[in-house]
């Protein structure tokens, strides 16, 4: 079984490497017809405006929308989350094309610019219940979006208190949010809606493969009883010791 990884731009190699650590083959998807050879798809982080332009150039949007509408599992990380959202704010003038399907409003660059990127530990009980392991996950936020509201069919997997984010007062987007909803000072950063999974952060840049394993369990031909298919994660120390700045896409 192969998992497609949209390979227009961004951290597609890191997703393919994470899948490999689980014994699963990830294949690069750049053309509409390649979607016919995969039963699920990961849309990586990167720069959603650039990715949208490239997707348009390759005439990928109709095939991507069809893939989502057919109920095939799709996981968007960071820019991939923006791609999947029904609505995005904080876009460049003129907006950008989205795949849509995920009933939420996402705010691009919610936490600020590149310099305000951060890492934090997030408890995700739903994933721990399925995958076991430590109670929290290292979450890498790089010029990350946040989800401002979700529809009734969307399950919230993780939110983050704005007070946990450094430089909070230097960020206009956050200040605006705080002013508008003084009592609710949290934003959503991971969701699931049927066949769609979305995270504002980058599990592929950590050594923890539980998010990938969780996603693979959403693929019907693997299903819940995946232990035979997914091998025990290898703890590749050289990978663990890499810092996020070692990843070429963020240099
Ligand atoms: N790490 C990322 O994927 C960043 C997303 C980027 N800020 C965008 O809007 O597309």
């Amino acid at each position: 079984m192969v998992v497609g990884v949209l390979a227009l731009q961004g951290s597609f190699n890191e997703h393919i490497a994470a899948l490999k650590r689980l014994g699963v083959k990830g294949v690069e998807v750049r053309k509409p017809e390649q979607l016919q050879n995969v039963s699920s798809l990961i849309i990586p982080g990167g720069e959603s405006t650039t990715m949208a332009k490239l997707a348009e150039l390759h005439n990928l949007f109709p095939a991507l929308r069809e893939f989502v509408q057919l109920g095939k599992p799709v996981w968007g990380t960071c820019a991939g989350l923006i791609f999947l959202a029904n609505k995005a704010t904080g876009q460049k003038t003129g907006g950008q094309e989205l795949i849509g399907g995920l009933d939420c409003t996402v705010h691009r660059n919610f936490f600020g610019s590149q310099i305000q990127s951060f890492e934090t530990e997030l408890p995700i009980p739903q994933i721990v219940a399925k995958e076991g392991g430590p109670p929290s996950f290292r979450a890498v936020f790089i010029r990350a979006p946040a989800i401002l509201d979700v529809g009734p069919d969307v399950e919230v997997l993780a939110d983050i208190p704005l007070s946990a984010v450094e430089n909070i007062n230097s960020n206009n987007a956050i200040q605006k949010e705080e002013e508008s909803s003084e009592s609710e000072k949290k934003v959503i950063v991971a969701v699931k809606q049927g066949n769609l999974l979305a995270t504002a952060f980058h599990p592929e840049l950590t050594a923890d493969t539980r998010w990938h394993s969780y996603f693979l369990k959403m693929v019907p031909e693997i299903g819940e009883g995946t232990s035979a298919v997914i091998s025990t994660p290898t703890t590749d120390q050289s990978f663990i010791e890499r810092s996020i700045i070692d990843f070429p896409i963020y240099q």
Side-chain angles (χ1 to χ4, degrees):
M1 106 107 200
V2 292
V3 174
V5 182
L6 192 65
L8 298 173
Q9 186 264 343
S11 60
F12 56 90
N13 277 325
E14 287 74 15
H15 273 294
I16 290 171
L19 292 168
K20 196 172 169 194
R21 293 200 301 281
L22 289 168
V24 170
K25 189 170 168 52
V27 295
E28 297 178 5
V29 170
R30 290 196 183 83
K31 295 178 182 164
E33 58 271 25
Q34 291 169 328
L35 284 169
Q36 283 161 16
N37 306 327
V38 297
S39 53
S40 60
L41 182 72
I42 296 176
I43 305 175
E47 185 54 50
S48 61
T49 46
T50 309
M51 252 191 252
K53 278 185 189 146
L54 291 169
E56 229 176 300
L57 195 74
H58 293 275
N59 192 29
L60 266 160
F61 276 108
L64 286 168
R65 287 193 190 109
E66 195 191 351
F67 197 86
V68 168
Q69 279 154 19
L70 285 171
K72 301 198 178 169
V74 181
W75 175 20
T77 58
C78 204
L81 153 65
I82 298 168
F83 246 46
L84 285 177
N86 278 349
K87 192 174 165 213
T89 59
Q91 291 178 291
K92 285 190 177 146
T93 318
Q96 68 199 57
E97 202 162 347
L98 304 172
I99 300 169
L102 185 61
D103 189 8
C104 72
T105 304
V106 74
H107 192 303
R108 285 189 66 214
N109 302 332
F110 180 84
F111 299 99
S113 62
Q114 181 81 337
I115 202 166
Q116 286 154 320
S117 299
F118 62 97
E119 295 187 33
T120 190
E121 289 286 321
L122 283 181
I124 322 238
Q126 291 96 322
I127 308 271
V128 175
K130 282 224 162 106
E131 304 299 326
S136 68
F137 293 75
R138 195 79 193 146
V140 181
F141 289 84
I142 302 170
R143 279 197 329 280
I147 298 169
L148 304 182
D149 57 57
V150 293
D153 298 331
V154 178
E155 181 189 0
V156 174
L157 298 177
D159 52 23
I160 184 166
L162 294 182
S163 56
V165 183
E166 276 180 40
N167 298 325
I168 194 163
N169 292 325
S170 60
N171 185 281
N172 289 338
I174 291 173
Q175 274 176 341
K176 268 187 215 139
E177 278 313 299
E178 280 191 313
E179 282 159 19
S180 64
S181 59
E182 211 36 58
S183 58
E184 180 48 78
K185 293 189 177 176
K186 282 180 167 184
V187 284
I188 298 164
V189 289
V191 291
K192 183 174 182 300
Q193 179 195 318
N195 57 314
L196 304 178
L197 180 67
T199 49
F201 47 91
H202 291 266
E204 78 282 12
L205 300 187
T206 73
D208 190 341
T209 43
R210 287 179 293 170
W211 275 101
H212 288 80
S213 179
Y214 180 82
F215 175 64
L216 291 170
K217 289 188 173 91
M218 290 167 56
V219 182
E221 72 223 42
I222 298 184
E224 291 287 325
T226 50
S227 49
V229 179
I230 298 172
S231 57
T232 313
T234 51
T235 34
D236 175 354
Q237 202 57 32
S238 64
F239 182 85
I240 292 166
E241 281 164 7
R242 283 166 87 182
S243 142
I244 59 166
I245 56 160
D246 291 332
F247 289 92
I249 59 160
Y250 297 114
Q251 286 171 4

